[in-house]
């Protein structure tokens, strides 16, 4: 445990969390925010204090993700013997299907703004951007698109990227930056007021850590959580929260090679609201927008007002999230049935022994 200089509100504490505490808890407990998750421990920050929590001693906290608030009882002055009361209900959370598994993986919790980072080069991909936007919509979190490496393209190319994003979503907030230049990143600090938490989401190499370093106070460099990858590049391997110069918090994440959606129906539908609206005008209420007559969606594609790529991506994302959500629900059901089976066989053994 070490002393630090931050208040709960600087750490993102809000009335939403305070309301979850009863009078006794308000008096005798202390909330701590998860700043970093390691294999066997959590780094947490509380009022003017930082501490490391062993997951072996607190297995109930294995489910925690960065940004979570944990309530501990304060049984001693030194905070050494604190008991976990509970993980507080999340105001928002980001999740995806864990790569190589059917389970969901929590990416971050209690986020105010999502910075979707893409660079002005071959990484720029509208379908991928739509994927991140759906994630942010599902979490009911404000999304800002950050286009990095603006210094590597000329103005004409910059406008071409901006035009594509404007066509994608006319009111999408877009900030073009050279992540290495503090002056160019200044507009981003507007989203980092004290008590606000932003997450950086995007593929590997787009400049999330560079942005973090530029936006943070100099002593908050993110170097310790970066490793050399096979190509000798530094790549982020763990999610962590940092204070920025303007007093807000920023969560740097490892680049996502695969962002498979799960439990994200509302998010996907919100990102493709234009298609949803068109579908209301199709002749058949269950129109698949393929070869059906009087399909308003296909008519919009023919008229050039809807990009066919968008329809393809919409259907792909919707099917994917339905499939992933169902496999997860099925696996939970199987777990429950297996649990019941074990319980009833134990019961049977007990009754057989007793009789
Ligand atoms: N010229 C230029 N280079 C940039 C910019 N942003 C990032 N870079 C460079 O791009 C490389 C990758 O940047 P990182 O910040 O490590 O990328 P990342 O998104 O954190 O990558 P992962 O940790 O692997 O997810 C580094 O060499 C940066 O110096 C930019 O705006 N302009
Ligand atoms: Mg990084
Ligand atoms: Zn249709």
């Amino acid at each position: 445990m070490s002393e630090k200089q931050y208040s709960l509100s600087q750490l993102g504490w809000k009335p939403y969390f305070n309301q979850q505490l009863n009078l006794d808890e308000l008096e005798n407990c202390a909330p701590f925010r998860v700043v970093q998750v390691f294999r066997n421990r959590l780094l947490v920050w509380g009022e003017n204090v930082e501490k490391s929590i062993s997951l072996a001693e607190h297995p109930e906290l294995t489910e925690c993700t960065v940004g979570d608030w944990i309530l501990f009882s304060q049984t001693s002055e030194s905070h050494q013997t604190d008991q976990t009361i509970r993980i507080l209900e999340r105001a928002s959370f980001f999740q995806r299907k864990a790569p190589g598994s059917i389970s969901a993986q929590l990416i971050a919790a209690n986020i105010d703004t999502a910075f979707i980072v893409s660079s002005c080069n071959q990484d720029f991909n509208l379908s991928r951007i739509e994927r991140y936007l759906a994630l942010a919509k599902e979490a009911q979190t404000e999304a800002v698109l950050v286009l990095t490496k603006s210094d590597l393209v000329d103005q004409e190319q910059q406008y071409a990227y901006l035009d594509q994003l404007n066509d994608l979503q006319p009111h999408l907030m877009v900030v073009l930056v050279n992540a290495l230049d503090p002056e160019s990143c200044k507009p981003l600090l507007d989203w980092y007021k004290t008590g606000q938490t932003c997450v950086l989401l995007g593929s590997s190499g787009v400049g999330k850590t560079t942005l973090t370093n530029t936006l943070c106070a100099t002593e908050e460099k993110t170097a310790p959580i970066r490793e050399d990858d096979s190509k000798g590049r530094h790549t982020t391997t763990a999610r962590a929260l940092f204070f920025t110069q303007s007093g807000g918090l920023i969560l740097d994440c490892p680049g996502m090679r695969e962002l498979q959606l799960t439990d994200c129906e509302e998010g996907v539908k919100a990102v493709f609201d234009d298609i949803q609206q068109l579908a209301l005008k199709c002749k058949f209420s269950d129109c698949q927008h393929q070869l059906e007559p009087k399909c308003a969606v296909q008519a919009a594609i023919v008229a050039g007002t809807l990009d066919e790529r968008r329809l393809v991506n919409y259907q792909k994302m919707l099917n994917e999230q339905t499939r992933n959500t169902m496999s997860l629900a099925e696996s939970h059901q199987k777990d429950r049935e297996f649990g019941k089976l074990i319980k009833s066989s134990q019961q049977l053994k007990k009754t057989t022994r007793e009789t």
Side-chain angles (χ1 to χ4, degrees):
M1 195 177 68
S2 60
E3 282 189 23
K4 294 276 171 178
Q5 294 278 307
Y6 21 63
S7 65
L8 283 185
S9 61
Q10 281 175 316
L11 293 176
W13 185 251
K14 298 198 169 90
Y16 178 81
F17 305 113
N18 217 46
Q19 283 158 11
Q20 297 180 38
L21 273 57
N22 62 35
L23 282 177
D24 179 49
E25 288 169 344
L26 281 168
E27 208 156 290
N28 301 310
C29 299
F32 284 80
R33 191 147 195 214
V34 179
V35 172
Q36 206 171 335
V37 177
F38 299 90
R39 202 188 306 273
N40 49 13
R41 69 186 177 93
L42 304 175
L43 182 70
V44 297
W45 288 344
E47 193 159 24
N48 298 327
V49 64
E50 173 184 280
K51 59 181 186 170
S52 182
I53 308 283
S54 153
L55 287 172
E57 286 169 29
H58 292 271
E60 71 283 4
L61 296 178
T62 322
E63 298 297 306
C64 273
T65 191
V66 179
D68 264 331
W69 280 101
I70 308 170
L71 194 63
F72 289 109
S73 65
Q74 291 202 298
T75 46
S76 73
E77 285 257 308
S78 63
H79 306 263
Q80 293 298 323
T81 54
D82 296 355
Q83 298 291 311
T84 308
I85 304 294
R86 64 183 175 278
I87 303 168
L88 295 184
E89 201 175 297
R90 297 165 179 135
S92 66
F93 64 91
F94 285 76
Q95 64 173 9
R96 64 167 172 172
K97 185 183 89 69
S101 146
I102 54 165
S103 59
Q105 179 198 36
L106 277 174
I107 300 168
N110 303 319
I111 299 295
D112 300 294
T113 309
F115 279 178
I116 299 170
V117 190
S118 166
S119 47
C120 292
N121 54 20
Q122 54 289 14
D123 172 74
F124 184 90
N125 179 304
L126 291 175
S127 297
R128 188 174 322 122
I129 290 172
E130 283 166 342
R131 210 159 256 273
Y132 283 109
L133 286 173
L135 205 65
K137 282 276 181 199
E138 184 70 33
Q140 295 183 343
T141 300
E142 188 172 37
V144 177
L145 215 115
V146 183
L147 277 183
T148 55
K149 312 198 184 183
S150 62
D151 53 308
L152 301 182
V153 290
D154 61 27
Q155 209 169 39
E156 199 179 323
Q157 286 170 300
Q158 290 179 10
Y159 283 135
Y161 285 123
L162 293 175
D163 281 348
Q164 288 186 62
L165 292 171
N166 189 53
D167 288 346
L168 194 73
Q169 234 185 65
H171 302 296
L172 186 63
M173 282 175 284
V174 185
V175 186
L176 207 68
V177 297
N178 168 1
L180 296 157
D181 172 23
E183 202 51 38
S184 147
C185 295
K186 258 190 181 161
L188 293 178
L189 289 170
D190 289 342
W191 277 277
Y192 283 106
K193 298 292 171 227
T194 302
Q196 296 285 104
T197 310
C198 300
V199 65
L200 293 169
L201 301 169
S203 312
S204 184
V206 292
K208 298 178 298 299
T209 302
T210 310
L211 264 175
T212 307
N213 285 334
T214 303
L215 294 169
C216 285
T218 40
E219 68 269 22
E220 294 281 358
K221 292 289 181 207
T222 60
I225 53 159
R226 302 171 87 205
E227 288 172 4
D228 280 345
D229 69 3
S230 57
K231 293 180 188 138
R233 291 179 309 208
H234 285 294
T235 190
T236 309
T237 53
R239 293 187 290 275
L241 276 175
F242 302 92
F243 273 111
T244 64
Q245 291 158 19
S246 62
L249 289 159
I250 189 169
L251 201 174
D252 186 20
C253 287
M256 286 191 228
R257 214 167 287 134
E258 185 185 297
L259 174 60
Q260 281 253 329
L261 303 174
T262 184
D263 215 346
C264 196
E265 185 176 349
E266 292 308 312
V268 174
K269 287 187 169 168
V271 170
F272 295 94
D273 187 53
D274 52 343
I275 299 181
Q276 294 276 307
Q277 294 304 320
L278 283 168
L280 295 174
K281 296 180 195 143
C282 292
K283 182 175 179 200
F284 301 108
S285 58
D286 62 345
C287 184
Q288 297 299 301
H289 322 306
Q290 301 299 329
L291 297 166
E292 293 92 336
K294 299 206 172 153
C295 168
V297 176
Q298 282 297 336
I301 292 173
V302 173
T305 51
L306 174 69
D307 186 355
E308 190 172 11
R309 180 204 60 76
R310 253 175 92 67
L311 174 64
V312 172
N313 200 32
Y314 166 62
Q315 292 183 320
K316 182 178 172 198
M317 281 165 60
L318 205 56
N319 291 339
E320 169 188 309
Q321 80 80 35
T322 309
R323 203 174 46 244
N324 289 337
T325 311
M326 274 168 58
S327 356
L328 192 60
E330 272 168 22
S331 125
H332 283 165
Q333 178 67 21
K334 276 191 192 138
D335 282 352
R336 267 196 299 274
E337 279 164 14
F338 186 63
K340 273 188 202 158
L341 197 73
I342 299 272
K343 219 171 163 185
S344 63
S345 89
Q346 281 170 344
Q347 200 75 40
L348 190 71
K349 266 190 202 158
K350 209 173 148 209
T351 12
T352 327
R353 266 203 308 270
E354 281 166 4
T355 51

